[in-house]
Structure formats: structure tokens, C-alpha cells
């Protein structure tokens, strides 16, 4: 353990299964240590079956909170007392905060994506985004970007079990935000090309590009990508995805993987629990 644990140490959890591979314990414990905060972050293997007891333990043990990951991100919702408004729309939770026994659920993935672009001097507010994917990451990104001032989002999904979620995201955004969202089908390649061409940013929030789909990309023709387009891939393992290679071949100046998003979603949770800013550059250096 890095920081000095004692009778005052405050516990934060991570409840998911499988979870032993996660970088979050290293991230948060190094950040606590760096800032001299008397917190400890531990991973717990929790499936849906164990979730009610585990969530209640946050209250019983007076933990400050927990991260929540698969398969518990949706199942946790009825076990909490409150959801923040964006999280209510997203319909999934990755962070729980315990305020004297009152548990509130948040989702920091979309916040992390926007902040990671802000960190690079890229402001997507008032602009058009073309987004592939409507799973956990795609939904958090779409809703948060719409709430935070992105003007227009064209959401693409293939015809699989996530297409209905894509439709739900579009309907919710149009109903509850000032952003204009439209649903598109990945199978319509002419439409996909056209929507990328008219966007300020193309964001890929699908699993394409990471194991077992490593080396694959939804956009394989560099001529689809303007040099002044921003290209963002949520995948961060591998560090350079096939989409990023195609973008670099096209001469795109601003090309990002999901590393910054991963760090900033953690930083947003860290802030909710501790009130402090995570030393993101220091943590980036430790983790990578
Ligand atoms: P998910 O399973 O919830 O959603 C998967 C999405 O990918 C769906 O929209 C699905 O339709 C689409 N998809 C899957 N295979 C496809 C294919 N062959 N062609 C076209 N579309 C396909 O997954 P998720 O949790 O949303 O994760 C999606 C990606 O985002 C993953 O690569 C994950 O690593 C990444 N992610 C990154 C961060 C971060 O902090 N950087 C956080 C969460 C997720």
C-alpha cells in the first residue's frame, strides 16, 4: 500500500466481474498517495447476484463510494437512492457516491471524453459529431455531448441488439436537449461517408479495433477523412488502432485514442469522492 493506512482510512470500491485486470485501483491509489489523501481503493469481484449486498455494504461500512462496471452498470440503478440527471438519461452508472447513507449514481465516461478533448484544446460544443456505436460508451458519449452543447449528432449503429438503444438515444436527445440527433444505419455506406464528411468530429464508440476485432476499422478508406476532421477512437488497447492508422494516412491532424477519456472518467469520479483534482499527467506517466 502506498499511502499510510490507519483507523481513519476511507474506502472506495470497484464492483464488477471480471475485474482483476482493471487499471483503476492503481490509478486511484497513486492519486491518493500523491495528494496525501487518506483513502484506499480496492477491487471486488461482484456479479449481479452479489450486487444488492455489496451496495448495501457501502452504507454499512461507511465507504465513500464505488466504481461500478460490467455486468452491474444497469442492475445497480434500483439499488441507489438517486441518479444525477445525465445518468438518468444514460441509464447506466459507473460511479456511486455515498453522502451519509444516501447513494447517488453518476456516469463519468461522457464527461471524460469531453474533458479529454478539452485537454487537447478541442471544443466540440456547438459543432456536429458523427458517432458510431450505441453501447455503454456510445450512449454515455451521445447523451453527455448533447447535454453539454454539441449541436448535432448523427448516430450510426449496425443492425444488432444495440440498434434499439441507438434509437432510444436519438429520441431522448431530441426530446430533452437542444441538440439535434438522427439515427443512421452503418450498412448505408454512402450515408456514413456523407455524415463523416459534414462533421467536425468523428467518434468511434464501437468495439471494432480492440481484441478480438483488433486490426479492423469501420472506416478503411483514407479519402473519407478530411485533414481538419477530429478523429476520436474510444479504444486504447492497442494504443494505435486501425482507425487511427487510416486517419494518420489521410493526414488528419487531430487523432485520439481512448486513453485520455479513460483517465478523465477516473478523474471525474475521483473529484466526486474527494473534492480534489486528480493529478492526471502524473497518473498517465505511472500507468503508461
Ligand atoms: P458495448 O458492448 O456496450 O457496445 C458495443 C458497440 O459496438 C455497439 O454499438 C455495437 O453495435 C458495436 N459493434 C460491435 N461489434 C461491431 C462490429 N463488428 N461492427 C460495427 N459495430 C459493432 O461496449 P462498450 O462498453 O460501449 O465499449 C465500446 C468500446 O468503447 C470498446 O472498444 C471499449 O474498449 C471502449 N470504451 C472505452 C472507454 C474509455 O474510457 N476510453 C470506456 C468505455 C468503453
Amino acid at each position: 500500500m502506498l499511502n499510510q493506512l490507519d483507523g481513519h482510512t476511507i474506502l472506495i470500491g470497484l464492483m464488477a466481474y471480471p475485474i482483476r485486470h482493471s487499471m483503476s485501483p492503481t490509478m486511484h491509489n497513486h492519486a491518493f498517495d500523491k495528494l496525501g489523501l487518506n483513502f484506499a481503493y480496492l477491487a471486488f469481484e461482484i456479479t449481479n447476484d452479489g450486487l444488492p449486498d455489496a451496495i448495501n455494504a457501502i452504507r454499512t461500512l461507511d465507504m465513500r463510494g464505488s466504481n461500478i462496471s460490467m455486468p452491474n452498470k444497469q442492475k445497480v440503478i434500483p439499488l441507489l437512492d438517486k441518479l444525477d440527471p445525465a445518468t438518468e438519461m444514460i441509464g447506466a452508472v459507473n460511479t456511486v457516491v455515498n453522502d451519509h447513507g444516501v447513494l447517488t449514481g453518476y456516469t463519468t465516461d461522457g464527461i471524460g471524453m469531453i474533458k479529454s478533448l478539452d485537454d487537447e484544446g478541442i471544443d466540440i460544443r456547438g459543432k456536429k459529431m458523427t458517432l458510431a456505436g450505441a453501447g455503454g460508451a456510445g450512449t454515455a458519449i451521445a447523451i453527455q455531448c448533447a447535454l453539454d452543447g454539441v449541436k448535432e449528432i448523427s448516430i450510426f449503429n449496425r443492425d444488432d441488439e444495440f440498434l434499439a438503444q441507438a434509437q432510444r438515444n436519438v429520441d431522448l436527445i431530441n426530446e430533452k436537449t437542444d441538440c439535434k440527433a438522427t439515427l443512421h444505419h452503418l450498412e448505408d455506406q454512402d450515408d456514413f461517408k456523407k455524415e463523416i464528411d459534414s462533421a467536425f468530429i468523428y467518434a468511434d464508440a464501437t468495439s471494432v479495433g480492440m481484441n478480438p476485432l483488433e486490426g479492423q476499422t469501420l472506416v478503411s478508406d483514407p479519402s473519407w477523412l478530411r485533414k481538419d476532421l477530429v478523429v476520436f477512437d474510444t479504444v486504447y488497447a492497442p494504443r494505435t488502432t486501425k482507425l487511427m492508422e487510416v486517419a494518420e494516412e489521410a493526414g488528419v491532424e487531430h487523432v485520439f485514442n481512448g486513453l485520455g477519456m479513460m483517465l478523465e472518467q477516473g478523474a471525474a469520479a475521483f473529484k466526486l469522492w474527494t473534492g480534489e483534482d486528480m493529478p492526471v499527467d502524473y497518473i498517465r506517466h505511472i500507468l503508461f
Side-chain angles (χ1 to χ4, degrees), residues 133-137 157-158 160 162 205-208 210 234-236 258 262:
N157 212 88
R158 66 175 182 174
D160 66 9
F162 292 96
T206 71
S207 324
V208 178
M210 73 177 281
T234 51
V235 174
Y236 56 86
M262 195 275 283

Side-chain angles (χ1 to χ4, degrees), residues 157-226:
N157 212 88
R158 66 175 182 174
D159 191 0
D160 66 9
E161 70 273 25
F162 292 96
L163 189 61
Q165 181 68 37
Q167 180 69 64
R168 175 192 169 275
N169 295 347
V170 164
D171 293 344
L172 216 49
I173 288 169
N174 287 331
E175 190 188 320
K176 302 216 164 173
T177 77
D178 293 333
C179 176
K180 175 174 174 272
T182 46
L183 178 66
H184 303 258
H185 299 269
L186 260 184
E187 289 78 6
D188 186 343
Q189 290 282 293
D190 289 341
D191 186 38
F192 192 29
K193 179 176 183 224
K194 185 171 74 63
E195 291 298 315
I196 289 175
D197 197 46
S198 59
F200 172 78
I201 176 168
Y202 167 60
D204 187 323
T206 71
S207 324
V208 178
M210 73 177 281
N211 192 26
L213 303 176
E214 192 170 334
Q216 298 184 31
T217 172
L218 298 175
V219 180
S220 50
D221 183 346
S223 75
W224 284 29
L225 305 174
R226 302 182 327 268

Side-chain angles (χ1 to χ4, degrees), residues 26-165:
T26 310
M27 175 197 295
H28 288 287
N29 287 316
H30 276 278
F32 297 147
D33 192 51
K34 178 77 175 164
L35 298 186
L37 299 172
N38 196 357
F39 283 75
Y41 184 109
L42 292 179
F44 300 103
E45 287 188 325
I46 305 289
T47 59
N48 286 174
D49 288 345
L51 193 62
D53 282 349
I55 293 298
N56 209 32
I58 296 177
R59 297 187 183 92
T60 309
L61 303 178
D62 199 19
M63 296 166 63
R64 177 62 175 137
S66 184
N67 274 140
I68 306 290
S69 195
M70 294 312 286
N72 300 323
K73 284 183 160 192
Q74 280 137 9
K75 293 278 182 201
V76 73
I77 290 176
L79 306 172
L80 302 176
D81 300 302
K82 290 196 292 182
L83 293 181
D84 96 303
T87 305
E88 181 127 35
M89 285 175 70
I90 292 164
V93 164
N94 79 342
T95 302
V96 173
V97 178
N98 178 13
D99 290 304
H100 310 291
V102 178
L103 304 186
T104 306
Y106 297 86
T107 300
T108 62
D109 286 333
I111 294 169
M113 184 263 192
I114 297 168
K115 178 70 168 59
S116 74
L117 290 167
D118 281 344
D119 292 345
E120 300 288 345
I122 291 169
D123 186 359
I124 58 177
R125 296 164 190 86
K127 318 260 176 53
K128 170 171 175 169
M129 173 163 72
T130 291
L131 172 68
T139 297
I141 287 172
I143 303 282
Q144 195 70 52
C145 285
L147 286 169
D148 284 9
V150 168
K151 192 176 76 181
E152 201 179 329
I153 308 180
S154 298
I155 299 177
F156 280 81
N157 212 88
R158 66 175 182 174
D159 191 0
D160 66 9
E161 70 273 25
F162 292 96
L163 189 61
Q165 181 68 37

